[in-house]
Amino acid sequence: MRLKTFHAKTMSAVMDQVRAELGPDAIIIQSETSKSGVRVTAALEAGATPPPPKKAPTPEQTPLAYEVDHPTPKTREFDNGDISAVLNHHGLPFDTASHLAEAVRAVGGGSLSEAFSSALETAIKFSPLTDATSRPVMLVGPPGAGKTICAAKLTADALLHERPVHLISTDTVKAAGIQQLDHFAQLMKQTVSTADTPNELDAVIRAKTDFMGLTIIDTPGTNPFNMDELKELLKFIQKVDAEPVLVMPAGLDALDAQEIAGIFARMGCQRFIATRLDAARRYASMIMAARPGYLALAAISRSPYVAEGLETASPLTISRLLTALPRGKKAEAKMDSKHD
């Protein structure tokens, strides 16, 4: 394992150094904050390779921003065709698209991303995960959504903020589930407790009576359309009064995502983390799951690597995702909108 220590005035600057030197596979081992700045010790697993020197992207590789980032104040930089192009590209259902388009048009000025940001503030719900939570956080969701990676990212973030973490897994049927989380935990000098049943989970949590940190519980994949699996998961949630947080990948069918969000809302979820944004180009599923009456969007994940942590979801962050289309997609989407 390769270890290296980095120092900078801010945590953001240190993390930039870590990613540039060791790449996205790096794991944060230790962090210290002092008057002189932030010192972080990071590790790169043996066999992994640091990133190659960055090259200037060719024009074909460079995404084309869909709007002007800094328009003249109070100047509209878009038209109805731009709005329709964005909504058509992401595949929002007609009713939701119509309401969102109306809200965007009602914004008096600014760039397209700013207008969508204002519209999203009232169209969907946001509720970031914070260090203030006292209930155990139980990550739940369909198989392959990225719950274990999210557990590792939440652990790394808590440790960076010097908050103790109790990491637990109930994914004990598949050996790979435990091994993956245990691998990340060891790199961060943490241990993983396991629990096969709700009673075991309760005993593991109660064993740390004076624990004042963050308890994170990783769970096996749950089929949202299998009642037996949902009932089994509910037993774990209720036994320890955990806060279930749905982990759901981007790129799902919009109405499937809405239905899944509704099912997990009835299981006690109030918010969700959208993952695998790097592997999707259409985000209607995220919008539909975050509509009023379903769940609030807490965070997003754009990378499978722990060093690239979760990002707090905000109207502007989501707006920029919606309005930034790859090169050539703007013209295609606008052409499609003219035929609707």
Side-chain angles (χ1 to χ4, degrees), residues 101-114:
E102 185 177 342
V104 173
R105 293 188 193 103
V107 178
S111 69
L112 186 63
S113 66
E114 290 169 336

Side-chain angles (χ1 to χ4, degrees), residues 6 68 73 77 119 142 163 190 207 235 254 256 310:
F6 301 85
V68 178
E77 299 289 343
R163 187 177 188 194
Q190 302 294 305
K235 293 177 184 177
D256 276 349
L310 298 177

Side-chain angles (χ1 to χ4, degrees), residues 1 3 27-31 40-43 186-189:
M1 182 184 299
L3 290 173
I27 299 293
I28 306 304
I29 301 298
Q30 185 178 14
S31 68
V40 166
T41 300
Q186 288 182 27
L187 290 174
M188 292 183 279
K189 297 184 178 179

Side-chain angles (χ1 to χ4, degrees), residues 230-243:
L230 291 173
K231 288 179 179 178
E232 186 64 24
L233 176 62
L234 189 59
K235 293 177 184 177
F236 281 88
I237 295 171
Q238 293 178 337
K239 185 65 178 180
V240 297
D241 188 30
E243 180 193 354

